[in-house]
Amino acid sequence: MSVLALPVFAFAALFVFIIIITFFKRYKRCPSDRILVVYGKVGGGSANCIHGGASFIWPVFQDYEFLDLTPISIEVMLTNALSRQNIRVDVPSRFTVGISTEPGVMNNAAERLLGQSQESIHDLAKDIIFGQLRLVVATMDIEEINSNRDKFLANVASNVGAELKKIGLKLINVNVTDIKDESGYIEALGKEAAAKAINDAKQSVAEKDRDGAIGEANAHQDQRVQVADANARAVEGENTAKIVVAKSDALRIEKEAEAKRISTAAEKVQTAKALEEAYAAEQIAEKARATRDKAAQAADIVVPAQIDKERVEIAAEAEAEMIRRKARGEADAILFRKQAEAQGIYEVLTKQAEGLKQIVNAAGNDSKDAVLLLVADKLPELVRLQAEAIKNIKIDKITVWDGGNGTGEKTSTANFISGLYKSVPPLQEMFNMAGMDLPEYLKGKSQEQIQKAAADIKQKEKQVVPKKPNKPKNGG
């Protein structure tokens, strides 16, 4: 029995030890800068919030988290907030908020902020503050916001604090740096207060001067009374009456001056305020008119000009494209025509070259023989051209003066015929200009043969026509 009891005792001791360790680990203490939130099966409510204490967290049934109580500073730059007077103001401010430790508010924080980061809480609180700050500005006049800061801050704290409590936060501090409005109304109020202070100071100085003048007048009065009393008691009544009249006049003048000063100051203040409001209204109207004129000019001038510009650009682009296409068409036509002409010339020259090559081959590759072949081929045409050189010459009338000296020299008729024949280009000369030599069988007669032929022609003329000395011979 003792042997079996030892393991059971050890097991029981170990079990108790584990329970004690678990109890100590599950017993959580809450530091002063945090809130311990126990959730799960907590009896009543969604969570049990503890600040500055401790609690045992039942395993399986409960769990826990901490909420940080560190204050959060939020800068709110509220702009264009509409006041009760429909004047837009800028209210730059800084709010300090934190998680509340009030019992009911802590539960709100546990329900809505548990597990949220500081940045998320900052953004959520900033959105709430923006909305409530606009609401407070909308319920107050600018004079109240500017002059009664305590009331303004109290309204802000009341509205913002009530909304922040709904999510478990509380408002710690509000600091409004400077309030401005877009119309310059607050600045005008400051100027008005400054002008009022200056006028009050001037009024006080004037009153002191008045008291000094009255004192001086009283001193003179006493002096005059004493002198008059010493000089003559008889004029006492007259002097007393004059003094009363002088005092009455002085009092009347004083009251008139005071009334005039007050009315003049009030009139100037009102005039200044009216001018300021009028200038502000005129400025707004001028800005609106400038905007309207600018829009009208843009619609009347800029838009049509833009449309005309685009139309001109499109027309110019179309015309340029038409010119480019026409130029490309003309260039293509010229190119095709020149290519066809070049092809034709190339074909003609190629065929000529082939024919010349065949002629040279036929002449045994001798260039001179080839030329002779070409000349022989063109000889009938050359002879025809020589004959036609004088064929179509029309001679109306020929007058020959023949001396008939019988010396055996050529007669005038022979000379005329010989000269006419020589005017035809000789075939030999044509060959010589071309750098070639005419074959012997194509060369002309020698000079002697030519002279002999001329003599024969002369003799035949004598036989046909009788000679008549010293008379001209007409023939057709």
Side-chain angles (χ1 to χ4, degrees), residues 51-129:
H51 178 242
S55 176
F56 180 78
I57 311 300
W58 289 99
V60 180
F61 302 101
Q62 294 179 347
D63 207 343
Y64 71 97
E65 282 191 28
F66 287 100
L67 287 174
D68 194 359
L69 297 178
T70 303
I72 302 173
S73 180
I74 302 173
E75 184 178 6
V76 178
M77 302 300 294
L78 182 62
T79 59
N80 292 330
L82 196 64
S83 67
R84 191 164 63 182
Q85 297 166 310
N86 293 328
I87 297 176
R88 297 191 178 274
V89 297
D90 298 337
V91 186
S93 56
R94 182 174 291 275
F95 291 75
T96 304
V97 300
I99 295 177
S100 177
T101 56
E102 297 179 13
V105 182
M106 281 194 299
N107 288 334
N108 293 339
E111 293 174 356
R112 294 175 175 84
L113 302 179
L114 190 63
Q116 298 287 335
S117 63
Q118 291 288 93
E119 290 78 10
S120 299
I121 297 174
H122 175 278
D123 295 339
L124 181 60
K126 187 175 182 179
D127 293 338
I128 294 174
I129 291 171

Side-chain angles (χ1 to χ4, degrees), residues 6 17 27 41 95 146 181 217 230 247 289 346 413 462:
L6 184 60
F17 180 77
Y27 188 80
K41 190 173 181 58
F95 291 75
N146 185 52
D181 66 302
K247 290 175 64 176
R289 185 182 63 80
Y346 174 77
T413 304
K462 290 180 179 180

Side-chain angles (χ1 to χ4, degrees), residues 396-411:
D396 258 350
K397 181 179 179 182
I398 298 176
T399 302
V400 180
W401 296 88
D402 193 351
N405 50 15
T407 58
E409 297 178 357
K410 289 194 244 182
T411 63

